[in-house]
Amino acid sequence: MTFLLALDQGTSSSRSIVFDRGGRIVAMAQREFRQIYPQPGWVEHDPEEIWQTQLATAQQALAEAGLRAQDIGAIGITNQRETTLVWNRRTGQPIHNAIVWQDRRGEPLCAQLRAHGHEGQVRRSTGLVVDAYFSATKIRWILDNVSGAHIAAAQGELAFGTVDSWLLWKLTGGHVHATDVSNASRTMLFDIRHNTWDHELLKLLHVPDSLLPQVHPSSHVFGETVPALFGAPIRIAGIAGDQQSALFGQACFHAGLAKNTYGTGCFMLMHTGDKFQPSANGLITTAAAQPTTRPEFAFEGSVFIGGAVVQWLRDGLHAIKASSEVQSLAESVPDSGGVIFVPAFTGLGAPYWDAKARGAIVGLTRGTTVAHIARAALESIAFQSAALLQAMSRDAVAAGGVSMTPQAPSAPAPQGGAAASGRPIVGVTELRVDGGACVNDLLMQFQADLLGIPVVRPQVVETTALGAAYLAGLATGVYAGLDELSALWQVERRFHPTMSRERAAELMANWEHAVRQATAG
């Protein structure tokens, strides 16, 4: 039997998972690493620690599975996106710590770009908003602040990469400097319509071409590991940023299929086929994981506070002792009693984009109990996610598709995707879910009620790592094509909406009213 090894390099830990050909988990290993905070708003990682923890978990997972390198058909890599590394090509040594996606030190440069009217240029090419979240201003900061970096970069001595590129470089002994389209699309330097680096943006940001990795499809044989690492070489054949990888792992291969990852925050992506469409509703247009050289796109929106609101109930309000207790506490009351919780602890993300918003609990009465607040906290995750999918629906309509009204599932899209055949983006007929909070049945049912479409939880919820494994398996012939992968995706539970559309609309209106109160002033 052929097995696949997924390297899942996250923001706080490195994991490795061995999957069998059927997408079932055989073994898993995980190690946390340090978070470095040089000053407020700055977040860094040690690149060598990222590498060492990732390598150690890969070796451990193989050992626990009782497998050798010869048993592994291919390695797939998925990673925290936007995190930026620059290293010396000759020595392989980083010239600075990795600057993490959460880091805000690039904001002054972003403010300059916005003030000089470059936001439209960035959005038209990259699909992104001008923000320090993305890699471009992080690269520029390193070049500006590390002695001799500008000169070394101009002379071709340095290499830039997101975390996938760094791992690929280390795994291949410095022989391969490359990335995939999904990670390149998060740099704010990549023209996602044509899958090429944007030389106008590179010039604008003063980033030399010589720094950049070669860009390939997400399913591609990038190279092979140094034999000493695992006892024999293993092909590295899949790379995708974590959220695009999760979209792929959920078998969302065609226009109109959407997934939501319920973690500390929430990340929702909807596949839009091969049609590039900038969002007019507060979303990002990004490259989807691409099995071939044909560009494919997705709308993306992020909720800053998802499962973190449950952590606040535990650590801030002391309403529960463990996060697992929140469902039973919330279920002890029939509803939230009119309480609405807007968890804008760090502002509001898509589709609102209000950094000054602050948390609010509205609708309190003398009859309100901590159980009502707990239920409202859980419901806030679903409200925010519903607002995201409604924004995606509006963008889909603008792109020539149909609205997200409940409807009978359409016939399966052809292998190339719905948009490839000239058909419009279809309405979303279900939302596929993953992430830690998706195990909460109360939350998933309320999400389905708000949306008016089924919410579907798969049997394997480790969809980020699974997507990387699938991409690697496609490139190496383990899988024949997307139809085979679609057949492997299995439902664990389907939550059907039971609430009337009138009641759901009323609840969403109440939510939007509460949001306006949280953002006022």
Side-chain angles (χ1 to χ4, degrees):
M1 179 178 287
T2 298
F3 298 87
L4 297 162
L5 174 61
L7 309 186
D8 184 359
Q9 206 298 303
T11 306
S12 59
S13 68
S14 298
R15 298 194 309 162
S16 295
I17 302 179
V18 177
F19 292 95
D20 67 16
R21 192 182 179 283
R24 293 173 290 268
I25 295 174
V26 176
M28 180 190 307
Q30 180 170 352
R31 293 195 186 187
E32 294 185 357
F33 54 86
R34 290 180 302 145
Q35 307 296 303
I36 302 168
Y37 305 102
Q39 65 184 59
W42 292 23
V43 189
E44 297 178 358
H45 292 157
D46 179 346
E48 288 296 335
E49 199 172 357
I50 288 175
W51 161 240
Q52 291 298 336
T53 54
Q54 190 64 75
L55 176 63
T57 60
Q59 293 170 336
Q60 181 183 344
L62 285 180
E64 290 187 4
L67 299 173
R68 303 170 302 156
Q70 293 88 336
D71 300 315
I72 304 299
I75 290 174
I77 299 173
T78 184
N79 55 286
Q80 53 166 313
R81 303 175 301 174
E82 299 94 20
T83 295
T84 298
L85 302 92
V86 177
W87 63 93
N88 184 288
R89 290 182 180 275
R90 181 178 57 83
T91 67
Q93 293 300 309
I95 67 170
H96 192 273
N97 275 341
I99 300 181
V100 180
W101 59 272
Q102 301 157 317
D103 190 283
R104 302 302 298 172
R105 75 187 72 183
E107 177 53 32
L109 179 53
C110 289
Q112 291 180 31
L113 293 171
R114 289 189 289 264
H116 287 94
H118 294 296
E119 188 147 25
Q121 177 187 1
V122 169
R123 181 175 282 274
R124 285 190 298 272
S125 176
T126 70
L128 308 177
V129 296
V130 173
D131 197 273
Y133 179 30
F134 306 109
S135 305
T137 56
K138 304 179 197 297
I139 302 171
R140 172 70 179 276
W141 188 95
I142 292 174
L143 295 181
D144 287 348
N145 289 274
V146 175
S147 179
H150 269 297
I151 295 173
Q155 294 175 345
E157 297 173 5
L158 302 181
F160 150 73
T162 42
V163 171
D164 59 300
S165 295
W166 171 242
L167 294 177
L168 183 62
W169 176 277
K170 298 293 281 187
L171 287 164
T172 62
H175 285 100
V176 180
H177 181 214
T179 189
D180 89 299
V181 290
S182 70
N183 279 291
S185 76
R186 312 300 294 190
T187 61
M188 213 171 78
L189 297 170
F190 192 70
D191 180 345
I192 64 173
R193 292 172 302 167
H194 304 103
N195 279 351
T196 184
W197 295 110
D198 187 315
H199 292 284
E200 290 298 317
L201 292 179
L202 290 170
K203 184 178 179 181
L204 179 65
L205 272 297
H206 302 290
V207 175
D209 292 15
S210 60
L211 272 178
L212 303 172
Q214 189 173 2
V215 183
H216 297 292
S218 308
S219 184
H220 173 83
V221 179
F222 291 83
E224 60 181 31
T225 64
V226 175
L229 295 178
F230 302 107
I234 306 174
R235 289 176 293 179
I236 304 159
I239 293 178
D242 52 10
Q243 298 308 319
Q244 289 99 327
S245 188
L247 187 71
F248 201 83
Q250 286 276 32
C252 296
F253 303 138
H254 307 299
L257 292 174
K259 71 89 188 174
N260 196 24
T261 298
Y262 296 81
T264 302
C266 295
F267 288 89
M268 185 179 292
L269 275 75
M270 182 178 78
H271 203 296
T272 58
D274 63 359
K275 185 172 184 178
F276 175 84
Q277 175 73 20
S279 172
N281 292 282
L283 305 173
I284 288 167
T285 304
T286 196
Q290 295 173 11
T292 69
T293 57
R294 181 173 63 86
E296 297 181 32
F297 306 101
F299 288 137
E300 177 175 332
S302 55
V303 169
F304 293 160
I305 302 296
V309 73
V310 178
Q311 297 169 350
W312 179 82
L313 288 175
R314 182 192 65 198
D315 303 332
L317 201 59
H318 300 292
I320 51 177
K321 292 182 179 179
S323 297
S324 58
E325 297 173 5
V326 69
Q327 180 167 330
S328 59
L329 177 60
E331 285 180 331
S332 68
V333 290
D335 53 44
S336 68
V339 176
I340 298 178
F341 190 160
V342 182
F345 301 146
T346 56
L348 285 171
Y352 307 105
W353 293 112
D354 190 333
K356 295 181 180 179
R358 288 298 174 261
I361 302 177
V362 302
L364 297 174
T365 68
R366 282 291 299 270
T368 299
T369 68
V370 69
H372 292 107
I373 294 173
R375 189 167 184 122
L378 272 186
E379 291 179 351
S380 75
I381 304 172
F383 277 125
Q384 292 177 96
S385 297
L388 278 182
L389 198 54
Q390 288 179 354
M392 288 181 178
S393 179
R394 291 192 293 272
D395 276 331
V397 170
V402 296
S403 63
M404 190 200 68
T405 51
Q407 54 189 279
S410 57
Q415 186 77 3
S421 63
R423 286 192 267 169
I425 297 173
V426 298
V428 179
T429 57
E430 66 181 25
L431 179 66
R432 299 180 178 186
V433 298
D434 52 63
C438 83
V439 301
N440 189 299
D441 292 348
L442 177 67
L443 172 59
M444 295 298 100
Q445 183 59 54
F446 189 67
Q447 187 73 85
D449 287 341
L450 286 181
L451 295 175
I453 56 176
V455 166
V456 185
R457 188 167 61 203
Q459 288 185 357
V460 178
V461 296
E462 296 290 351
T463 56
T464 302
L466 184 60
Y470 280 169
L471 288 164
L474 271 180
T476 52
V478 175
Y479 304 114
L482 298 184
D483 288 343
E484 183 177 0
L485 294 179
S486 293
L488 290 177
W489 185 82
Q490 298 293 322
V491 175
E492 184 267 324
R493 181 168 175 183
R494 189 180 298 269
F495 297 85
H496 292 278
T498 58
M499 184 182 292
S500 73
R501 304 317 306 139
E502 292 76 17
R503 177 57 178 160
E506 179 185 354
L507 289 175
M508 284 303 300
N510 293 341
W511 163 257
E512 294 295 344
H513 178 72
V515 167
R516 288 192 292 273
Q517 292 179 266
T519 57

